[in-house]
Amino acid sequence: MLYAIIGEDTPGTLEQRLAARPAHVERLLALQQEGRLILAGPCPAIDSPDPGAAGFSGSLIVAEFASLEAARAWADADPYVAAGVYGQVTVKPFKKVLPA
Protein backbone atom coordinates (compact mmCIF):
# COMPACT_ATOMS: atom_id res chain seq x y z
CA MET A 1 0.00 0.00 0.00
CA LEU A 2 1.06 3.60 -0.49
CA TYR A 3 1.81 5.93 2.41
CA ALA A 4 2.30 9.69 2.59
CA ILE A 5 5.15 10.79 4.81
CA ILE A 6 4.94 14.48 5.69
CA GLY A 7 7.93 15.91 7.52
CA GLU A 8 7.57 19.36 9.08
CA ASP A 9 10.85 21.24 9.44
CA THR A 10 11.84 22.81 12.74
CA PRO A 11 12.46 26.52 12.04
CA GLY A 12 16.11 27.49 11.70
CA THR A 13 17.41 24.07 10.63
CA LEU A 14 18.46 24.80 7.04
CA GLU A 15 22.14 24.07 7.78
CA GLN A 16 21.26 20.72 9.36
CA ARG A 17 19.01 19.92 6.40
CA LEU A 18 21.78 20.64 3.89
CA ALA A 19 24.28 18.55 5.88
CA ALA A 20 21.92 15.56 6.15
CA ARG A 21 20.60 15.81 2.58
CA PRO A 22 23.03 13.32 0.92
CA ALA A 23 22.05 10.53 3.36
CA HIS A 24 18.36 11.46 3.05
CA VAL A 25 18.50 11.33 -0.76
CA GLU A 26 20.42 8.04 -0.67
CA ARG A 27 17.50 6.39 1.15
CA LEU A 28 15.03 7.83 -1.36
CA LEU A 29 17.12 6.54 -4.26
CA ALA A 30 17.05 3.07 -2.69
CA LEU A 31 13.23 3.22 -2.61
CA GLN A 32 13.25 4.38 -6.24
CA GLN A 33 15.53 1.52 -7.31
CA GLU A 34 13.13 -0.90 -5.62
CA GLY A 35 10.24 0.61 -7.59
CA ARG A 36 8.51 1.79 -4.40
CA LEU A 37 8.91 5.58 -4.63
CA ILE A 38 6.03 7.51 -6.20
CA LEU A 39 7.26 11.04 -5.46
CA ALA A 40 9.45 12.95 -3.05
CA GLY A 41 10.47 16.53 -2.58
CA PRO A 42 10.80 19.50 -0.27
CA CYS A 43 8.29 22.28 0.38
CA PRO A 44 9.98 25.67 -0.10
CA ALA A 45 9.31 28.09 2.76
CA ILE A 46 8.51 30.82 0.24
CA ASP A 47 6.76 30.84 -3.13
CA SER A 48 9.87 30.05 -5.15
CA PRO A 49 11.44 26.89 -6.58
CA ASP A 50 14.76 28.05 -5.07
CA PRO A 51 14.00 29.55 -1.65
CA GLY A 52 17.64 30.35 -0.86
CA ALA A 53 18.17 31.36 2.77
CA ALA A 54 14.41 31.07 3.48
CA GLY A 55 14.87 27.31 3.31
CA PHE A 56 12.12 24.76 3.48
CA SER A 57 9.07 24.14 5.64
CA GLY A 58 9.12 20.38 5.23
CA SER A 59 8.97 17.50 2.77
CA LEU A 60 6.49 15.11 1.19
CA ILE A 61 7.27 11.50 0.30
CA VAL A 62 4.78 9.04 -1.18
CA ALA A 63 6.05 5.48 -1.30
CA GLU A 64 4.96 1.87 -1.04
CA PHE A 65 5.46 -0.04 2.20
CA ALA A 66 4.20 -3.38 3.49
CA SER A 67 2.31 -1.74 6.37
CA LEU A 68 1.73 1.49 8.24
CA GLU A 69 4.18 0.27 10.88
CA ALA A 70 6.85 -0.31 8.22
CA ALA A 71 6.29 3.16 6.78
CA ARG A 72 6.55 4.73 10.24
CA ALA A 73 9.74 2.80 11.01
CA TRP A 74 11.27 3.95 7.72
CA ALA A 75 10.27 7.56 8.42
CA ASP A 76 11.61 7.42 11.99
CA ALA A 77 15.02 6.33 10.64
CA ASP A 78 15.29 9.30 8.26
CA PRO A 79 18.53 11.32 8.56
CA TYR A 80 16.44 14.50 8.80
CA VAL A 81 14.87 13.12 11.99
CA ALA A 82 18.28 12.26 13.45
CA ALA A 83 19.63 15.72 12.54
CA GLY A 84 16.71 17.49 14.20
CA VAL A 85 15.41 18.92 10.91
CA TYR A 86 11.97 17.36 11.16
CA GLY A 87 10.17 18.51 14.28
CA GLN A 88 7.13 16.41 13.39
CA VAL A 89 6.52 13.55 10.99
CA THR A 90 3.07 12.36 9.96
CA VAL A 91 2.64 9.02 8.21
CA LYS A 92 -0.72 8.00 6.79
CA PRO A 93 -2.17 5.69 4.15
CA PHE A 94 -2.45 7.25 0.70
CA LYS A 95 -4.65 6.21 -2.22
CA LYS A 96 -3.36 7.33 -5.61
CA VAL A 97 -6.19 8.21 -8.00
CA LEU A 98 -4.57 10.35 -10.70
CA PRO A 99 -2.71 10.12 -12.88
CA ALA A 100 -3.94 6.62 -13.53
Side-chain angles (χ1 to χ4, degrees):
M1 181 165 183
L2 296 179
Y3 295 89
I5 300 170
I6 304 145
E8 300 286 340
D9 283 22
T10 300
T13 58
L14 180 57
E15 285 187 32
Q16 293 96 313
R17 175 184 263 274
L18 295 175
R21 186 175 187 277
H24 171 78
V25 170
E26 184 178 325
R27 295 177 81 235
L28 293 170
L29 289 173
L31 283 179
Q32 183 180 24
Q33 290 170 353
E34 295 168 6
R36 297 169 43 205
L37 183 66
I38 303 303
L39 66 89
C43 301
I46 60 173
D47 190 12
S48 171
D50 182 4
F56 300 91
S57 63
S59 303
L60 170 64
I61 299 164
V62 177
E64 183 179 345
F65 292 91
S67 66
L68 179 57
E69 292 76 22
R72 283 185 179 144
W74 188 91
D76 288 345
D78 194 288
Y80 284 171
V81 172
V85 175
Y86 290 160
Q88 178 179 343
V89 178
T90 302
V91 181
K92 52 185 157 182
F94 180 81
K95 181 177 178 182
K96 181 181 174 192
V97 175
L98 294 172

